[in-house]
Structure formats: structure tokens, C-alpha cells
Amino acid sequence: MERYYQPEIECAPLERIQEIQNEKLVKQVQHVWDNVPYYRHLMEEKGLTPADIKSIDDLKKLPFLTKADLREAYPYGLMGKPLKDCVRIQSTSGTTGKRVVAFYTQHDIDLWEECCARAIMAAGGTSEDVCQVSYGYGLFTGGPGLNGGSHKVGCLTIPTSSGNTDRQIMFIMDLQATILCCTPSYAAYLGERMKEMGYGPDDIPLKAGIFGAEAWSEEMRRDIEATLGIKAYDIYGLTELSGPGVSFECSAQSGMHINEDHFIAEIIDPDTGEVLPEGAQGELVFTSIDKEAFPLIRYRTRDICTLTREKCSCGRTHVRMTKPKGRTDDMLIIRGVNVFPSQIESVLIKQGYAANYQIVVDRVNNTDTLDVQVEMTPEMFTDNMGEISARQKELVEGLKSMLGIKAKVSLVAPKSIARSEGKAVRVIDKRKI
């Protein structure tokens, strides 16, 4: 039986959703015009005033915001409320340039936690469940978001944060945790460790996992589901928009429902900025229509995906987004070919490898090199060079047919690639571009 946290919104007819969006968008544009000089200036440059925005049909007139704008306006330039009304910040785990710092009023936090509660109930969660939140707490949004959502559903919440894997497993087993929230790469590692400790899927009390914060393939999902004996649900979000819970998967596992009463999604051509029709692949753009402290309008996520309004078996009516194929900024261009880490991962998992790999890109004599380092599983580990060489050749062929270019493959010993307790570091780009 499908469960909903707010059925009257989650299953609302499209006309009702659009009414909510029209009303909130008009108010939000006025709020931003009055309180965010940075964005007001962008509107004025386009000759716009709030009077020009009467409904969601006018959204396309408004200027985009990008990560570069967030860096330029750092730290307080995009705030929509005075400091005395803000109660918290969260920040990205960004490794380049200035971090993104997002501000929240108490109202913003309540709405964010409601979005996460919807995701937990879509994964089958109820007040009877024990929910272990193994995302990082602190500045990272994963822990605080799911923690708040779990409280709203009424689950017993175990705030383990990330790391200390043996303690994580102890709590799962001793407290009979039924829902696990963490990054997919950490879920895969927990599964690997539990298997080593002799636990099979039937011994593990978990029934569902809510995994996000990094790209993962369908093959990786099936792998995690088989090892932990669970159903694995995807969740999507960005610090810029609040955090996890912008969209989430339901029992159908066929795309993530966007919380459209809080966020308007568009797909654009990343090169021209033109809005594309439903079903077209392009860059995802979000407008947060009721955030008070950090109200972003037409924020370019750099994520590549498609949107669909096809009827969903779960009964929810909100538009669904596909799992992002990759990001326009983590897409690697190697010898003129677009390569996404998720494509490499799907080849590895299809050929029986765990999702423990690293992609090293370099430039030698003005030519790009692509070296994929892949961990062997303990079962396939051998010092027979002929066997290793045959396996490497098989992977090189699989990658060539997927990517269209040749990659070098290095098979390495089990556990030799560093494990991540947060977002996995998949790509090392040594090119000086």
C-alpha cells in the first residue's frame, strides 16, 4: 500500500498544482525584487518588473542564476530576509572556489523537513520504523534534512552521521533499523562489510534505503538491494534549494517526483538557455517558490535529465525527473567525446565488479588519456597475470562500446581504493585545462 505524508498535495490534480505555483511565483518574484538587490539588478537589466510576471507562463522571461552568481554574491548578497529572521545555514561540500552558503528561516526548515518526510513515507516509512541517518551532519544538508523528515514521520531516528562503519552495523543489528539513509557508495560499502562479517540479506533487518548526494547507476542499485535485502530509493536535492527532498522516488522506482508545491522545474538547452518541451533531455533549472531566506529563481543545476508527467502507479501527480545522467560540470570531455562517470560504472557492474573505481584523466603529448582503476572483488582476486589481462581486455572492450573511445583499465587488489563515508571521489583530472 502506497503511503503519503501529505496526500492532498502529493496527489493533487495538475490544475491545482499550477494554481499553487502561479500564486506562489508571483509572490516570490515580488519578495525577491523587494529584498534581494542582486537579483533585482538582473531583472532590471532585462527590463523586467514584478508586474511582468503574472503566472508560470512568464517564468521564462526571468534571468537565470548560476553557481558563479552565488560565488559573486557570497556570503550575504542573495539573502531574502534579515539576519535576525534566519536560524541556520547549511553549506555545500564543494571542493572548488568559495562554498555555497544557504540560509534558512524556521519556516524554510519546516518546509524542507516536510519534503524529506514525504520521501521517507514514499519509501514505506511509518512511525513504527527505525530510521538510521548515516549521511554527514553539520554543514552538509544530508544528515539534518533526513533527520528532520524522520522526526516528522515519527520514526525512531538514529543520528549516526557518516563513518565508524562497525558502529553503524552494530546499531543496524542491535536496534533493528529498518530504513537506512546515506550515500549510495557508503551503502555499498556497508553491504560489503556486513557480508564480510557473515551477514546475509535475510539476517539484516533493513527493508528500505534512501540514497542520494551522488550519481549512481541502476546496476549499482540492484547490487545494493541484493546485498542488503532492501528496496533502494533515490532522493535528489541541492544545498542551494534546501537540500535532499527536492524530489524523491516512490514504489515505482521510475523517476523522482519533484515537490512542485515548493519548486518549479524546467529543462533548458544548456547552450542556448531555451526552455525545452516535456520529455526532452537537457539541463535542469529550479525556482524555489516559497523559500524565504535564500530564494533562488531559475537556478541552473548543471544536472542533465528529462521530465515526464506520465501517470505514475503510486498515485502521485507531481512531475517526475529521471535520475540525472550526469552534470554538465562533471561531464568529462575526453578527446572530444562526452563521458559521464555513471556510464563507466554501469559497464563495471554489468561485468560483475563492485562500484569501487577511480577515473584518472591526464594529457600526454597533447592527447587526453583515460585510465580506469577498478577493484577486483575478493572472489576474482588472483595473481594469475593471464587471467587479470583477459579480464582487463574484456573491460576495455565493454567501455569502448559504451563510450566510443578507448580507455586503459587497471585491475587493482580488493580494498586498495580509498573508501568514502560521504561523497565518493570518482574522478581525478590531472589535465591543466
Side-chain angles (χ1 to χ4, degrees), residues 184 188 201 211 216-234 249-255 323 345 349-350 353 355:
F211 307 133
W216 52 307
S217 59
E218 284 304 312
E219 291 81 5
M220 188 173 182
R221 185 208 301 263
R222 302 290 160 238
D223 230 28
I224 292 169
E225 288 185 329
T227 312
L228 292 173
I230 60 171
K231 192 159 175 172
Y233 296 82
D234 207 346
E249 266 184 336
C250 61
S251 55
Q253 289 177 310
S254 62
K323 189 187 269 297
E345 184 175 294
I349 292 178
K350 268 195 186 116
Y353 297 86

Side-chain angles (χ1 to χ4, degrees), residues 256-278:
M256 292 173 275
H257 290 278
I258 293 168
N259 283 308
E260 287 194 277
D261 52 326
H262 302 304
F263 306 102
I264 301 174
E266 303 170 275
I267 294 287
I268 63 163
D269 178 316
D271 297 324
T272 65
E274 177 202 351
V275 179
L276 300 176
E278 183 191 321

Side-chain angles (χ1 to χ4, degrees), residues 20 53 59 64 79 83 102 117 121 126 154 163 166 201 228 231 237 262 286 293 303 309 314 334 351 353 389 411:
I20 292 170
I53 310 301
L59 186 61
F64 293 113
M79 273 178 77
L83 269 183
M121 289 195 73
T126 70
D166 287 357
L228 292 173
K231 192 159 175 172
H262 302 304
F286 273 116
D303 285 320
R309 284 206 179 271
C314 77
I334 297 167
Q351 293 198 16
Y353 297 86
S389 168
L411 286 176

Side-chain angles (χ1 to χ4, degrees), residues 145-159:
L146 270 306
N147 188 89
S150 175
H151 280 217
K152 278 203 169 7
V153 172
C155 305
L156 174 66
T157 309
I158 313 175

Side-chain angles (χ1 to χ4, degrees), residues 28 133 175 348:
Q28 186 71 308
V133 182
L175 296 175
L348 302 184

